[in-house]
Amino acid sequence: MIRMKRSVTISALAAASLALLAAPAVQAQSADMTFFVTSNGPGKGADLGGLEGADAQCQKLAQTAGAGAKTWRAYLSTQAADGKPVVNARDRIGKGPWQNAKGAVIAKDVAELHGPANNLTKQTALSEKGEGVNGMGDQPNRHDVLTGSQPDGTAFAGPDDRTCKNWTSSTQGTAMVGHFDRKGLRDDEPSKSWNSSHPSRGPDGGCSQADLKSTGGDGLLYCFAAN
């Protein structure tokens, strides 16, 4: 009995030692991270508190992952409203390159990110924790990511709302979303688009948390280190 207890104790100590050795390596990897998909949203649907609130969500999650020293921006566009000009998502995320928490490069620059050669897939679109995010075929599906953007990363012109009132509405409006897993209900370009697949919709008006979940989302964001 004594020998068995000693064996269990030694095994436990060995496991703890391995965990301690692995922890610095994980933290160091996260510190080099310059891109992630948020593991969760603020919880108010597409009401993110505007661009400032969305950026703060990216910064907060990056901080918890050990990458808070960088300036993080949410990949979101806004539309012209109340005398304010459009903001293009592509113009607010820095120059690149961007890599996930495990070191895989997503894109070397803005042009590659918005071209056919980018490396944004379900396997590389990891959360700030370095974990995979549920996509199409998983339960629940969370592959819709808020962007408010056209395929080239620019804002939408015209009167149609594609940003849930510039990320301040959790009721009326619509938000353009992308599919981080590059999969949809059809075999077409929008379904495979990481940043411009379809507008949100739902019984609450299109911008609530329940509405976003109803089409396979959860109010998630793309976050990029801008410096």
Side-chain angles (χ1 to χ4, degrees), residues 62-76:
Q63 182 74 37
T64 64
K70 301 179 178 68
T71 299
W72 289 87
R73 300 273 170 78
Y75 182 92
L76 294 172

PDB file of all heavy atoms in Angstrom, residues 62-76:
ATOM      1  N   ALA A  62      -7.165  39.525 -25.481  1.00  0.00           N
ATOM      2  CA  ALA A  62      -5.734  39.394 -25.737  1.00  0.00           C
ATOM      3  C   ALA A  62      -4.938  39.497 -24.440  1.00  0.00           C
ATOM      4  O   ALA A  62      -3.950  38.781 -24.235  1.00  0.00           O
ATOM      5  CB  ALA A  62      -5.283  40.464 -26.729  1.00  0.00           C
ATOM      6  N   GLN A  63      -5.385  40.387 -23.561  1.00  0.00           N
ATOM      7  CA  GLN A  63      -4.712  40.571 -22.269  1.00  0.00           C
ATOM      8  C   GLN A  63      -4.735  39.286 -21.458  1.00  0.00           C
ATOM      9  O   GLN A  63      -3.722  38.875 -20.880  1.00  0.00           O
ATOM     10  CB  GLN A  63      -5.404  41.696 -21.490  1.00  0.00           C
ATOM     11  CG  GLN A  63      -4.767  42.021 -20.152  1.00  0.00           C
ATOM     12  CD  GLN A  63      -3.470  42.776 -20.288  1.00  0.00           C
ATOM     13  OE1 GLN A  63      -3.332  43.626 -21.168  1.00  0.00           O
ATOM     14  NE2 GLN A  63      -2.507  42.482 -19.427  1.00  0.00           N
ATOM     15  N   THR A  64      -5.883  38.624 -21.444  1.00  0.00           N
ATOM     16  CA  THR A  64      -5.997  37.379 -20.677  1.00  0.00           C
ATOM     17  C   THR A  64      -5.123  36.277 -21.257  1.00  0.00           C
ATOM     18  O   THR A  64      -4.737  35.348 -20.547  1.00  0.00           O
ATOM     19  CB  THR A  64      -7.459  36.882 -20.635  1.00  0.00           C
ATOM     20  OG1 THR A  64      -7.890  36.559 -21.967  1.00  0.00           O
ATOM     21  CG2 THR A  64      -8.383  37.935 -20.064  1.00  0.00           C
ATOM     22  N   ALA A  65      -4.797  36.402 -22.557  1.00  0.00           N
ATOM     23  CA  ALA A  65      -3.983  35.374 -23.219  1.00  0.00           C
ATOM     24  C   ALA A  65      -2.486  35.712 -23.183  1.00  0.00           C
ATOM     25  O   ALA A  65      -1.676  34.964 -23.725  1.00  0.00           O
ATOM     26  CB  ALA A  65      -4.433  35.203 -24.664  1.00  0.00           C
ATOM     27  N   GLY A  66      -2.138  36.848 -22.568  1.00  0.00           N
ATOM     28  CA  GLY A  66      -0.731  37.225 -22.476  1.00  0.00           C
ATOM     29  C   GLY A  66      -0.223  38.026 -23.653  1.00  0.00           C
ATOM     30  O   GLY A  66       0.983  38.167 -23.839  1.00  0.00           O
ATOM     31  N   ALA A  67      -1.150  38.562 -24.477  1.00  0.00           N
ATOM     32  CA  ALA A  67      -0.746  39.347 -25.654  1.00  0.00           C
ATOM     33  C   ALA A  67      -1.289  40.771 -25.583  1.00  0.00           C
ATOM     34  O   ALA A  67      -1.513  41.419 -26.599  1.00  0.00           O
ATOM     35  CB  ALA A  67      -1.242  38.663 -26.930  1.00  0.00           C
ATOM     36  N   GLY A  68      -1.488  41.255 -24.371  1.00  0.00           N
ATOM     37  CA  GLY A  68      -2.081  42.573 -24.182  1.00  0.00           C
ATOM     38  C   GLY A  68      -1.175  43.742 -24.461  1.00  0.00           C
ATOM     39  O   GLY A  68      -1.628  44.895 -24.481  1.00  0.00           O
ATOM     40  N   ALA A  69       0.108  43.491 -24.695  1.00  0.00           N
ATOM     41  CA  ALA A  69       1.035  44.597 -24.963  1.00  0.00           C
ATOM     42  C   ALA A  69       0.818  45.203 -26.347  1.00  0.00           C
ATOM     43  O   ALA A  69       1.267  46.316 -26.627  1.00  0.00           O
ATOM     44  CB  ALA A  69       2.475  44.114 -24.830  1.00  0.00           C
ATOM     45  N   LYS A  70       0.137  44.478 -27.217  1.00  0.00           N
ATOM     46  CA  LYS A  70      -0.136  44.972 -28.569  1.00  0.00           C
ATOM     47  C   LYS A  70      -1.431  45.795 -28.581  1.00  0.00           C
ATOM     48  O   LYS A  70      -2.248  45.709 -27.671  1.00  0.00           O
ATOM     49  CB  LYS A  70      -0.265  43.797 -29.543  1.00  0.00           C
ATOM     50  CG  LYS A  70       0.967  42.909 -29.626  1.00  0.00           C
ATOM     51  CD  LYS A  70       0.728  41.767 -30.593  1.00  0.00           C
ATOM     52  CE  LYS A  70       1.965  40.881 -30.724  1.00  0.00           C
ATOM     53  NZ  LYS A  70       2.257  40.142 -29.495  1.00  0.00           N
ATOM     54  N   THR A  71      -1.598  46.587 -29.652  1.00  0.00           N
ATOM     55  CA  THR A  71      -2.841  47.326 -29.851  1.00  0.00           C
ATOM     56  C   THR A  71      -3.755  46.502 -30.742  1.00  0.00           C
ATOM     57  O   THR A  71      -3.443  46.250 -31.898  1.00  0.00           O
ATOM     58  CB  THR A  71      -2.569  48.690 -30.520  1.00  0.00           C
ATOM     59  OG1 THR A  71      -1.715  49.460 -29.676  1.00  0.00           O
ATOM     60  CG2 THR A  71      -3.868  49.445 -30.764  1.00  0.00           C
ATOM     61  N   TRP A  72      -4.868  46.060 -30.198  1.00  0.00           N
ATOM     62  CA  TRP A  72      -5.765  45.150 -30.910  1.00  0.00           C
ATOM     63  C   TRP A  72      -6.970  45.890 -31.469  1.00  0.00           C
ATOM     64  O   TRP A  72      -7.527  46.769 -30.826  1.00  0.00           O
ATOM     65  CB  TRP A  72      -6.231  44.028 -29.968  1.00  0.00           C
ATOM     66  CG  TRP A  72      -5.124  43.070 -29.661  1.00  0.00           C
ATOM     67  CD1 TRP A  72      -4.197  43.172 -28.659  1.00  0.00           C
ATOM     68  CD2 TRP A  72      -4.789  41.891 -30.387  1.00  0.00           C
ATOM     69  NE1 TRP A  72      -3.319  42.117 -28.715  1.00  0.00           N
ATOM     70  CE2 TRP A  72      -3.659  41.312 -29.766  1.00  0.00           C
ATOM     71  CE3 TRP A  72      -5.351  41.251 -31.489  1.00  0.00           C
ATOM     72  CZ2 TRP A  72      -3.081  40.134 -30.220  1.00  0.00           C
ATOM     73  CZ3 TRP A  72      -4.780  40.077 -31.955  1.00  0.00           C
ATOM     74  CH2 TRP A  72      -3.653  39.527 -31.310  1.00  0.00           C
ATOM     75  N   ARG A  73      -7.343  45.506 -32.675  1.00  0.00           N
ATOM     76  CA  ARG A  73      -8.493  46.109 -33.346  1.00  0.00           C
ATOM     77  C   ARG A  73      -9.433  45.006 -33.851  1.00  0.00           C
ATOM     78  O   ARG A  73      -8.987  43.977 -34.350  1.00  0.00           O
ATOM     79  CB  ARG A  73      -8.045  46.948 -34.533  1.00  0.00           C
ATOM     80  CG  ARG A  73      -7.105  48.085 -34.158  1.00  0.00           C
ATOM     81  CD  ARG A  73      -7.873  49.332 -33.774  1.00  0.00           C
ATOM     82  NE  ARG A  73      -7.006  50.350 -33.197  1.00  0.00           N
ATOM     83  CZ  ARG A  73      -6.209  51.135 -33.920  1.00  0.00           C
ATOM     84  NH1 ARG A  73      -6.146  50.994 -35.228  1.00  0.00           N
ATOM     85  NH2 ARG A  73      -5.485  52.060 -33.312  1.00  0.00           N
ATOM     86  N   ALA A  74     -10.723  45.282 -33.749  1.00  0.00           N
ATOM     87  CA  ALA A  74     -11.721  44.379 -34.304  1.00  0.00           C
ATOM     88  C   ALA A  74     -11.846  44.622 -35.797  1.00  0.00           C
ATOM     89  O   ALA A  74     -11.843  45.772 -36.248  1.00  0.00           O
ATOM     90  CB  ALA A  74     -13.065  44.601 -33.621  1.00  0.00           C
ATOM     91  N   TYR A  75     -11.949  43.555 -36.561  1.00  0.00           N
ATOM     92  CA  TYR A  75     -12.126  43.664 -38.009  1.00  0.00           C
ATOM     93  C   TYR A  75     -13.593  43.991 -38.282  1.00  0.00           C
ATOM     94  O   TYR A  75     -14.439  43.106 -38.440  1.00  0.00           O
ATOM     95  CB  TYR A  75     -11.715  42.362 -38.699  1.00  0.00           C
ATOM     96  CG  TYR A  75     -11.824  42.406 -40.211  1.00  0.00           C
ATOM     97  CD1 TYR A  75     -10.738  42.775 -41.000  1.00  0.00           C
ATOM     98  CD2 TYR A  75     -13.017  42.084 -40.847  1.00  0.00           C
ATOM     99  CE1 TYR A  75     -10.837  42.819 -42.387  1.00  0.00           C
ATOM    100  CE2 TYR A  75     -13.130  42.116 -42.227  1.00  0.00           C
ATOM    101  CZ  TYR A  75     -12.042  42.492 -42.986  1.00  0.00           C
ATOM    102  OH  TYR A  75     -12.153  42.535 -44.355  1.00  0.00           O
ATOM    103  N   LEU A  76     -13.901  45.287 -38.306  1.00  0.00           N
ATOM    104  CA  LEU A  76     -15.268  45.763 -38.501  1.00  0.00           C
ATOM    105  C   LEU A  76     -15.252  47.017 -39.358  1.00  0.00           C
ATOM    106  O   LEU A  76     -14.381  47.883 -39.199  1.00  0.00           O
ATOM    107  CB  LEU A  76     -15.920  46.112 -37.163  1.00  0.00           C
ATOM    108  CG  LEU A  76     -16.186  44.977 -36.172  1.00  0.00           C
ATOM    109  CD1 LEU A  76     -16.638  45.558 -34.839  1.00  0.00           C
ATOM    110  CD2 LEU A  76     -17.228  44.007 -36.713  1.00  0.00           C
TER     111      LEU A  76
END
